[in-house]
Amino acid sequence: MDILQKSKNNQRRIGLTGGIASGKTTITNYIRKHKNIPILDADHFSRELIKPNTYGYKKILDYFGNKIIGNCDRFLAITGNSWMNRLKESPFQSWEPKIVHLDLAVDRTYFPFIKENFNPIGKRRFLYIGHTAWYKNTSFLEEIVQKLPNIDFAWMGGDQLLKNIKRLGKYDFSSQDAKNIIQEYDFLITVGSSDANPTTILEAMAWGLIPVCSLQSGYEGFSGIQNISIDRIENAIATIEKLQSVPEVQLKKWQKDNLDCLDNHFNWERFSS
């Protein structure tokens, strides 16, 4: 029986709400597993509503986007260069005359260099930092990890479970404990499907990790940032396996390229000029 029909037939409906990390998912998973009560997840339906090119997405774009942009003199697009490179092919092409592109920035003072040496060839480790909103595409990361059981993947930043990915929890990046953990990893990986340009990539560059990210995470054409496909799982796996055999001298070169890039481009002086 359809879950919506089941809900209609029930005499009582229970609403469950709460703040971030308050235990909503834990409770609903328990109810679903042990009580066989249908669950209608508002987060799920809201994500479905705003997926690109859906009816809801187009209505929201028209109502909130086009009407607002029409009344603006300039629109500051704080987003990655890969999105700007594809602006003419996107639903936002009509905004181009008003757009001022701004890349993000970090202050390296708050993200000191900590990655002095890399793990040996074949023993390289991957770290994901972030949350699990739909555009972070963590289900694809789970698929990658499932097909590469001999490679170490970990996640910093959440309390949920991601399949086969070591959960490290939440940390204050300024703490020594966080720095000690981060420097054990070699690559920051993020496989977003519609991510503007996550600052974690720049933070990882400052620490000395090598970013591995999808084009849909906003960054492309940077020598020290390694792009990974999210269109074909086979290509993504090939990228991960290739990175396992990259000589350390090349990783060090990518490190230097990234630090130069932060100093010369991804800085607040350029951002605010």
Side-chain angles (χ1 to χ4, degrees), residues 11-31:
Q11 293 298 313
R12 295 178 180 174
R13 299 181 179 92
I14 300 173
L16 177 63
T17 186
I20 295 173
S22 61
K24 301 185 299 294
T25 301
T26 301
I27 293 172
T28 53
N29 286 343
Y30 177 85
I31 293 172

Side-chain angles (χ1 to χ4, degrees), residues 176-187:
Q176 191 58 49
D177 285 344
K179 294 173 184 175
N180 290 341
I181 292 173
I182 290 168
Q183 67 183 353
E184 294 176 1
Y185 292 84
D186 305 288
F187 302 98

Side-chain angles (χ1 to χ4, degrees), residues 115 119-128 141 144-156 162-168 180-189 209 212 240-241 243-244:
K115 186 66 179 175
N119 287 303
I121 286 177
K123 301 292 185 182
R124 306 270 165 74
R125 309 175 75 191
F126 292 79
L127 178 65
Y128 169 60
L141 181 59
I144 294 174
V145 175
Q146 186 177 11
K147 293 181 180 295
L148 295 169
N150 296 322
I151 296 179
D152 188 7
F153 291 84
W155 172 35
M156 181 179 286
L162 293 178
K163 294 176 185 175
N164 302 316
I165 302 176
K166 183 179 180 181
R167 182 180 61 185
L168 300 175
N180 290 341
I181 292 173
I182 290 168
Q183 67 183 353
E184 294 176 1
Y185 292 84
D186 305 288
F187 302 98
L188 173 94
I189 186 167
L209 301 188
V212 180
I240 299 294
E241 291 177 333
L243 290 171
Q244 282 289 356

Side-chain angles (χ1 to χ4, degrees), residues 218-235:
Y219 299 84
E220 74 171 329
F222 298 97
S223 59
I225 299 177
Q226 307 308 299
N227 288 128
I228 186 171
S229 172
I230 61 171
D231 299 317
R232 293 182 61 86
I233 187 73
E234 297 83 2
N235 293 344

Side-chain angles (χ1 to χ4, degrees), residues 193-227:
S193 59
S194 188
D195 208 349
N197 55 343
T199 320
T200 50
I201 290 177
L202 303 182
E203 294 165 353
M205 291 162 65
W207 289 321
L209 301 188
I210 306 300
V212 180
C213 74
S214 58
L215 291 177
Q216 294 87 342
S217 293
Y219 299 84
E220 74 171 329
F222 298 97
S223 59
I225 299 177
Q226 307 308 299
N227 288 128

